[in-house]
Amino acid sequence: MSAPVLLVIAHGSRDPRHAATVHALVRRVRALRPDVRVETGFLDFNVPSVQGVLESLETEGVRDVVALPLLLTRAFHAKADIPAVLADAPPRLRIRQADVLGPSPLLLSALERRLYEAGLTPADKSSTGVVLASAGSSDPEAIAVIAEIAREWRHTGWCAVRPAFASASLPRTEDAVRELRELGCPRVAVAPYVLAPGFLPDRIARGAAEADVRADVLGPSPEVARVLLERYDQARVPVLTAVGA
């Protein structure tokens, strides 16, 4: 039996950097697992749409699909938007929705990779306070997860780690930067806990103006690609019966 198709579901954005980053990540996933067919669908703004990809797969005769939300936390899109889209999928498809990417130790490794690429070294950890800057959410579960990631990351040797949010929740990135200064951290770095560039990541970047170091978004880092495949493997067996059946 062939492996289920992996359908990566991205939010989409008017910012062309978003789709370009998603496609770069998917290319890395394909390179890691050439035995798995990987497709990409967008919820909004970009093509192909999730519905369009699902209809094309059914027309080809595909039956098993793992739908993977390209999201870091379980908030509205993972709990409502994506299940609603999958519920309208062609009835002959057997679809299982994989879990979101976070939290994962691999994502912490990806965050550190980006900080080191921005100029830090492992020797800087004890003298550097880090702002874990996420997009933000009105979902308390998602906010609690970000706070827990910050607490966990602090125990790996950083001077301090504070969560921040670009929307819906507080504090903002610039406020967390100031808090770390007031705590006495000799150096402050901002690590965007976001997957691709866009409106909210740009807000994070503006909030990081007073930081000493600002890392890039997670993007197509190898660690993110590995988490994607972990979630796929966890979801692929058993594949659920047809959505809505």
Side-chain angles (χ1 to χ4, degrees):
M1 178 183 295
S2 60
V5 171
L6 169 55
L7 172 58
V8 176
I9 300 179
H11 182 273
S13 171
R14 292 186 178 90
D15 188 322
R17 297 173 297 167
H18 174 89
T21 301
V22 170
H23 291 310
L25 175 60
V26 168
R27 286 194 296 272
R28 187 179 286 276
V29 171
R30 288 179 178 139
L32 288 173
R33 289 284 291 276
D35 58 311
V36 176
R37 177 176 175 180
V38 187
E39 299 291 342
T40 308
F42 295 90
L43 291 173
D44 206 354
F45 302 116
N46 302 104
V47 292
S49 68
V50 175
Q51 188 68 22
V53 174
L54 292 171
E55 291 171 357
S56 295
L57 291 174
E58 188 205 31
T59 299
E60 290 179 33
V62 170
R63 291 296 173 261
D64 294 325
V65 177
V66 170
L68 192 151
L70 196 60
L71 301 167
L72 294 172
T73 58
R74 273 183 48 79
F76 182 78
H77 294 305
K79 295 177 179 179
D81 280 357
I82 291 174
V85 171
L86 297 181
D88 288 334
R92 283 181 289 183
L93 290 176
R94 294 184 292 267
I95 302 175
R96 184 174 180 88
Q97 181 176 329
D99 202 358
V100 297
L101 302 184
S104 167
L106 284 170
L107 293 177
L108 289 181
S109 296
L111 287 165
E112 295 201 354
R113 170 191 291 275
R114 292 301 188 226
L115 286 169
Y116 297 151
E117 289 170 350
L120 293 179
T121 71
D124 296 323
K125 291 183 77 168
S126 63
S127 59
T128 303
V130 180
V131 177
L132 179 68
S134 74
S137 173
S138 58
D139 188 308
E141 177 187 347
I143 297 304
V145 166
I146 298 299
E148 179 58 32
I149 291 170
R151 284 191 291 270
E152 178 183 342
W153 202 16
R154 164 68 182 85
H155 294 311
T156 66
W158 296 101
C159 174
V161 179
R162 292 292 185 271
F165 308 94
S167 68
S169 304
L170 295 174
R172 295 286 183 257
T173 301
E174 54 269 32
D175 298 325
V177 169
R178 294 186 190 108
E179 180 186 353
L180 290 172
R181 294 272 189 225
E182 291 168 2
L183 281 175
C185 296
R187 185 186 299 103
V188 176
V190 173
Y193 190 60
V194 292
L195 289 167
F199 177 75
L200 293 178
D202 283 350
R203 181 179 288 176
I204 290 171
R206 291 192 297 272
E210 296 181 10
D212 301 295
V213 175
R214 177 174 62 86
D216 200 358
V217 300
L218 296 174
S221 66
E223 295 87 356
V224 175
R226 287 169 57 197
V227 176
L228 242 103
L229 289 168
E230 281 187 0
R231 298 293 182 256
Y232 168 77
D233 287 332
Q234 290 162 359
R236 62 182 289 190
V237 181
V239 174
L240 290 178
T241 56
V243 170

